[in-house]
Amino acid sequence: MAGTTDTGMDEAVSRPRKSSWTYIGPGIVVAATGVGAGDLVATLIAGSKFGYTLMWAAVIGCVVKISLAEAAGRWHLATGRTLFEGWRSLGRWTTGYFAVYVLVWGFVYGATAMSSSALPIVALFPDGPGLKTWAVITGLIGLVFVWFNQYAVFEKVMTVLIGVMFVVVVYVAIRVAPDLGAAFAGLAPVLPDGSLLYTLGLIGGVGGTITMAAYGYWVNAKGWTNSGWMKVMRLDNRVAYITTGLFVVAMLIIGAELLHSSHVALTTGDRGLIDLGTILEDRFGPATAKLFLVGFFATSFSSLIGVWHGVSLMFADFVEQIRKERVGLAVDEGTGAAKEVAAGERERSVPFRAYLLWLTFPPISLLFLDQPFGLVVVYGVLGAFFMPFLALTLVWLLNSSRTPAEWRNGILSNVMLTAAGLLFVVLCVQQVRDIPW
């Protein structure tokens, strides 16, 4: 077929790029986006309850995320097709699920991201505007920034934000004087009583969101569109999730040293980081507390603009694939979607900007109203099902003739992706059980 021939020619004329630190980019973006304030609080609480005992789970979680993101990036580079093109080839059911998911999830997430970004600003400037005002301001800043800037500028800003996150979190972890012996002992797999769900959450939760599916889109937006970039993508991906792993380890150390020994309980959700800021001020003074709040803001705002860009990119591709099918271009014939993403066509499209508006303005209403009960339930169910959906569809796609034989899953990839899929199914069941029906 024409599309297959084009992909083959691309691979034939493209020389494999040597993996180099100078290419690193999409991985930084996915790491900065995937780690939100709520993830950090969940890790802190695990550290506060079990000390260093679950350090091994953080390491396994890092390996799981590397496997998942590598699979998403490999699909984009090996086939020249986007992930949504792959999903569409599995049947129309994927379109129905994604359409409902992306609309409901975006509506609720928009309000959550804006509130999370506003919390540290309110704590830093208590005499300024209130939480809702700052939330609206951060949402509008995210909208304007993503609307008027394409991937290259977006990546640079995300690199700065993750740099701030990294320096602050590691600095605080060093300040609390970690017990290195206990930390290394925590690498031995042990399950204390009552720790199973916390362990599964550490392995599957931190950095595990829809942004993992967006990774392949950011790989294309960087200009990587064929298998010649495979080595570069793999290095980039490892850097991303090793960085994420370091965040998790640092937050476990903070939880173990500051909270576990003193039996301090944090508020669940993003507000738990405000509690931590107060504890840091009592122990280390206001300068450390303010620095931590700056890191809290970098964590939250990087997730906001990362979702504003990455999920809008996915939505634009979703709309474009539906449009092409309606005019008679079958997905299996290949449509050069990866090249269109690389050329910036998706970022300039009407669907991209329409979804940006959807993420910003309708959620503002949720800031001034209690979230409707039914919407919370639907959001929880759809969100719980996304990671199993991603893991298991990648197993399907990368073991089929849709992927060139050279780049199909090996034994290790199949084991890791299948294990990830099963893990996310367990987490999905637990999340659905925890929803306030």
Side-chain angles (χ1 to χ4, degrees), residues 52-53 55 179-187 257:
Y52 292 99
T53 310
M55 189 72 75
D179 183 339
L180 295 180
F184 281 110
L187 295 175
E257 294 294 341

Short mmCIF file of all heavy atoms in Angstrom, two decimals, residues 52-53 55 179-187 257:
data_model
loop_
_atom_site.label_atom_id
_atom_site.label_comp_id
_atom_site.label_asym_id
_atom_site.label_seq_id
_atom_site.Cartn_x
_atom_site.Cartn_y
_atom_site.Cartn_z
N TYR A 52 11.11 3.86 54.87
CA TYR A 52 11.84 3.54 53.64
C TYR A 52 11.46 2.18 53.06
O TYR A 52 12.01 1.76 52.04
CB TYR A 52 13.35 3.53 53.93
CG TYR A 52 13.93 4.89 54.25
CD1 TYR A 52 14.14 5.27 55.57
CD2 TYR A 52 14.29 5.76 53.24
CE1 TYR A 52 14.70 6.51 55.87
CE2 TYR A 52 14.85 7.00 53.52
CZ TYR A 52 15.05 7.37 54.85
OH TYR A 52 15.59 8.59 55.13
N THR A 53 10.53 1.48 53.70
CA THR A 53 10.26 0.09 53.36
C THR A 53 9.84 -0.12 51.91
O THR A 53 10.11 -1.16 51.31
CB THR A 53 9.17 -0.48 54.29
OG1 THR A 53 9.52 -0.18 55.64
CG2 THR A 53 9.03 -1.97 54.13
N MET A 55 10.77 1.61 49.23
CA MET A 55 11.68 2.20 48.24
C MET A 55 11.75 1.33 46.98
O MET A 55 11.83 1.82 45.86
CB MET A 55 13.06 2.36 48.85
CG MET A 55 14.04 3.14 48.01
SD MET A 55 13.66 4.90 47.97
CE MET A 55 14.22 5.39 49.61
N ASP A 179 18.52 8.64 56.10
CA ASP A 179 19.22 7.47 56.64
C ASP A 179 19.55 6.57 55.46
O ASP A 179 18.71 5.78 55.01
CB ASP A 179 18.31 6.77 57.65
CG ASP A 179 18.99 5.57 58.31
OD1 ASP A 179 19.97 5.06 57.74
OD2 ASP A 179 18.52 5.15 59.39
N LEU A 180 20.78 6.66 54.94
CA LEU A 180 21.14 5.95 53.72
C LEU A 180 21.08 4.44 53.91
O LEU A 180 20.71 3.70 52.99
CB LEU A 180 22.53 6.38 53.25
CG LEU A 180 22.65 7.85 52.82
CD1 LEU A 180 24.07 8.16 52.37
CD2 LEU A 180 21.66 8.17 51.70
N GLY A 181 21.43 3.97 55.10
CA GLY A 181 21.36 2.53 55.36
C GLY A 181 19.95 2.01 55.24
O GLY A 181 19.70 0.98 54.60
N ALA A 182 19.00 2.74 55.84
CA ALA A 182 17.59 2.33 55.76
C ALA A 182 17.07 2.45 54.34
O ALA A 182 16.25 1.62 53.90
CB ALA A 182 16.75 3.19 56.70
N ALA A 183 17.55 3.48 53.61
CA ALA A 183 17.10 3.66 52.23
C ALA A 183 17.52 2.48 51.36
O ALA A 183 16.74 1.95 50.57
CB ALA A 183 17.66 4.97 51.66
N PHE A 184 18.79 2.04 51.48
CA PHE A 184 19.25 0.89 50.71
C PHE A 184 18.55 -0.39 51.15
O PHE A 184 18.25 -1.26 50.33
CB PHE A 184 20.77 0.75 50.82
CG PHE A 184 21.53 1.70 49.94
CD1 PHE A 184 22.24 2.76 50.49
CD2 PHE A 184 21.51 1.56 48.56
CE1 PHE A 184 22.93 3.65 49.68
CE2 PHE A 184 22.18 2.44 47.73
CZ PHE A 184 22.91 3.49 48.29
N ALA A 185 18.29 -0.50 52.44
CA ALA A 185 17.56 -1.68 52.93
C ALA A 185 16.16 -1.73 52.34
O ALA A 185 15.59 -2.81 52.13
CB ALA A 185 17.48 -1.65 54.45
N GLY A 186 15.59 -0.55 52.05
CA GLY A 186 14.26 -0.48 51.47
C GLY A 186 14.17 -0.98 50.04
O GLY A 186 13.08 -1.11 49.49
N LEU A 187 15.33 -1.28 49.42
CA LEU A 187 15.33 -1.82 48.06
C LEU A 187 14.99 -3.31 48.05
O LEU A 187 14.73 -3.88 46.99
CB LEU A 187 16.70 -1.59 47.40
CG LEU A 187 17.07 -0.12 47.16
CD1 LEU A 187 18.48 -0.01 46.62
CD2 LEU A 187 16.08 0.54 46.20
N GLU A 257 11.54 10.77 56.84
CA GLU A 257 12.31 11.49 57.85
C GLU A 257 11.49 12.55 58.59
O GLU A 257 11.64 12.74 59.79
CB GLU A 257 13.54 12.15 57.20
CG GLU A 257 14.56 11.17 56.67
CD GLU A 257 15.22 10.35 57.79
OE1 GLU A 257 15.17 10.78 58.96
OE2 GLU A 257 15.77 9.29 57.48
#
